[in-house]
Amino acid sequence: MSQTATLKVWRGHFPDVGHWESYDVPYEPGQSVLDGLRWIRSHRDPSLAIRYSCINANACKECMMELDGKTVYACTARLEPREMAVAPLSNKRLVRDLVTEIAPPTERFLAKAKQVK
């Protein structure tokens, strides 16, 4: 009998009007939370917004989110065969679903200035 993990994922564009959706994910020991989220996007809901650049490298910091209320990297946090709540970073501006604005304000201003030129 195969095990499943349930990812309870926060969805929405605005912190005050979002909602939770639960997804059952096939579980295998060693999987990361990012593996589970990528499985959801591939097999259940391609509209789920997540951000990542690397897998299991803990170098890019793009996949930071809150797991059961604690800030983690989804690429290194281990999936478990239980319900796990995944939410966007609460101290960053929300873009959508699990994606938050992670670039420092000065970097965002520099990028916008280069686009205008």
Side-chain angles (χ1 to χ4, degrees):
M1 181 176 188
S2 62
Q3 293 181 304
T4 60
T6 301
L7 289 178
K8 182 178 166 185
V9 181
W10 193 94
R11 304 291 306 267
H13 288 86
F14 303 101
D16 53 344
V17 293
H19 62 281
W20 293 94
E21 288 185 27
S22 291
Y23 302 91
D24 289 331
V25 176
Y27 169 79
E28 291 183 27
Q31 287 178 305
S32 69
V33 171
L34 181 58
D35 291 332
L37 293 168
R38 291 176 64 223
W39 186 91
I40 292 168
R41 279 201 7 191
S42 294
H43 296 92
R44 294 290 181 262
D45 190 348
S47 72
L48 176 63
I50 58 175
R51 179 183 286 152
Y52 64 96
S53 267
C54 56
I55 298 175
N56 297 326
N58 192 17
C60 69
K61 304 191 181 359
E62 298 248 343
C63 66
M64 286 180 72
M65 56 188 64
E66 293 181 6
L67 174 64
D68 295 331
K70 295 179 183 173
T71 301
V72 300
Y73 297 110
C75 66
T76 58
R78 292 293 154 226
L79 194 63
E80 298 176 16
R82 63 175 178 88
E83 182 176 275
M84 304 174 83
V86 186
L89 294 173
S90 57
N91 64 340
K92 301 290 182 183
R93 186 183 70 79
L94 179 65
V95 176
R96 191 184 88 180
D97 298 341
L98 299 175
V99 177
T100 55
E101 185 64 64
I102 58 173
T106 54
E107 288 182 23
R108 290 195 306 269
F109 292 138
L110 290 174
K112 286 181 183 179
K114 288 179 183 178
Q115 289 174 354
V116 172
K117 288 182 180 182

